[in-house]
Amino acid sequence: MKKNWDIFCRIVDNFGDIGVCWRLAKQLNAEYGLAVTLWIDDLNVAQKIIPQLDASLDQQMVDKIKLLKWQDKADFTIAADVVIEAFACELPALYISAMAEKKSKWINLEYLSAESWVADFHAKPSPQANGLIRYFYFPGFTDKTGGLIRESGIKQLKPTDDAALLENDQCCLKVSLFCYPNAPIQDLLAALQGNKNKVVVYVPDSSILSKVADYFGRKTIDAGEKITKNNLTVQVLPFLSQADYDQLLSACDLNFVRGEDSWVRAIWAAKPFIWQPYFQEENTHLKKLEAFLASYYANLDAKEAVCQLHAAWAGQHPLVPVWQDYLDQLGLIADYTLQQSQQLAMQEDLAGKLVRFCHQIE
């Protein structure tokens, strides 16, 4: 089996791209003994996900992963046995030449989608003029796709309620909020404030803090602050490591997530969640959202409530009128979400499928 793998990551979607690549790199090394090099174009952003990373160094080892700064002056003359081009980031021309000489296996890792066409295009070869074959690899929710990132031993089958980050109050609704700034954040806070019972919203430090501050009539709000208004309390957390964020998701009753990395982690947390896809022109992101909702919640009796709240969160209609309907069926949604998590965990994971696929095409 090919032992040396390179992963190229160009950070476009804030933390989502590097989040996925970092999890994958660590799993490939820890579970399959592969020597993994992760090329990153923006070390300053990556440092938020990888706190041990020194953004001033062009080369370093973190958690047995070799991290290299992807820059023009880098040495692209030595290619790995397997090269993962994450999310069509476009490999350097010099590196592609080195790949052709080494006859590297070339995997273009695509974004996760539940759209029906994904299975038809998954793992399809694209022969190149230089003799290489570029394979398009699609993560997904069925056995006919590349699967989902899931480390062995992940605690996704039994939701937990214990987390040092959260208040020990069994009577309140615990909500985590991680989203893009274009989400109707203030409408959500208004709906939560009008809740009959106590609601605590945990907001990790991110680009939405100014929107949260606006709701409370504040100019700014910082990590560590707690603000209460009627039955709503907002607790601002520091930017969390992946491990701490995973723990937060597992401990909350409802999670608002975005992009890809936090979306998948919400699935393994086995708690109800509302997903906000990354905005794309021509409403392509809404097609992805609709495909996911149709597939994931196909057998849920409360599907309408779930779809309505997702649509509101995507800006398609007001949020406040549909919030209570969703909340009234939260118990049913929670049971269903746990079942879905358990079913998906029975499928082979992304890293395992990648390793097996690369072995097959040798």
Side-chain angles (χ1 to χ4, degrees), residues 13-76:
D13 176 16
N14 294 316
F15 310 110
D17 298 332
I18 183 59
V20 170
C21 291
W22 180 236
R23 289 189 196 271
L24 179 60
K26 289 192 296 180
Q27 187 182 358
L28 289 171
N29 171 261
E31 298 183 19
Y32 298 95
L34 301 173
V36 182
T37 296
L38 178 55
W39 293 82
I40 308 170
D41 69 329
D42 192 334
L43 296 181
N44 290 308
V45 174
Q47 190 177 46
K48 301 284 283 186
I49 292 291
I50 313 171
Q52 311 97 303
L53 184 153
D54 186 340
S56 68
L57 300 178
D58 293 346
Q59 177 176 322
Q60 57 201 291
M61 294 291 294
V62 177
D63 290 348
K64 299 182 180 181
I65 305 300
K66 186 176 183 179
L67 301 178
L68 295 180
K69 185 174 182 179
W70 181 358
Q71 55 186 335
D72 292 340
K73 67 177 183 179
D75 182 4
F76 295 121

Side-chain angles (χ1 to χ4, degrees), residues 176-222:
S176 76
L177 179 57
F178 183 54
C179 63
Y180 298 112
N182 63 321
I185 297 168
Q186 296 191 6
D187 288 348
L188 173 64
L189 295 177
L192 295 175
Q193 181 189 327
N195 205 60
K196 297 177 182 178
N197 300 313
K198 182 180 178 181
V199 180
V200 180
V201 180
Y202 298 91
V203 186
D205 189 2
S206 68
S207 58
I208 71 169
L209 290 191
S210 61
K211 296 292 185 68
V212 175
D214 285 345
Y215 179 78
F216 290 100
R218 298 270 299 273
K219 290 184 178 180
T220 61
I221 185 171
D222 300 313

Side-chain angles (χ1 to χ4, degrees), residues 19-20 22-32 147-157 242-244 246-247 261 264-266 268-269 344-352:
V20 170
W22 180 236
R23 289 189 196 271
L24 179 60
K26 289 192 296 180
Q27 187 182 358
L28 289 171
N29 171 261
E31 298 183 19
Y32 298 95
L148 301 172
I149 289 183
R150 189 188 75 253
E151 311 93 286
S152 64
I154 190 173
K155 297 178 180 179
Q156 84 288 350
L157 300 183
Q242 286 185 323
D244 284 342
D246 293 348
Q247 185 184 31
D261 186 48
V264 174
R265 303 317 285 195
W268 301 137
L344 285 173
M346 296 175 66
Q347 298 180 10
E348 188 175 7
D349 67 278
L350 176 65

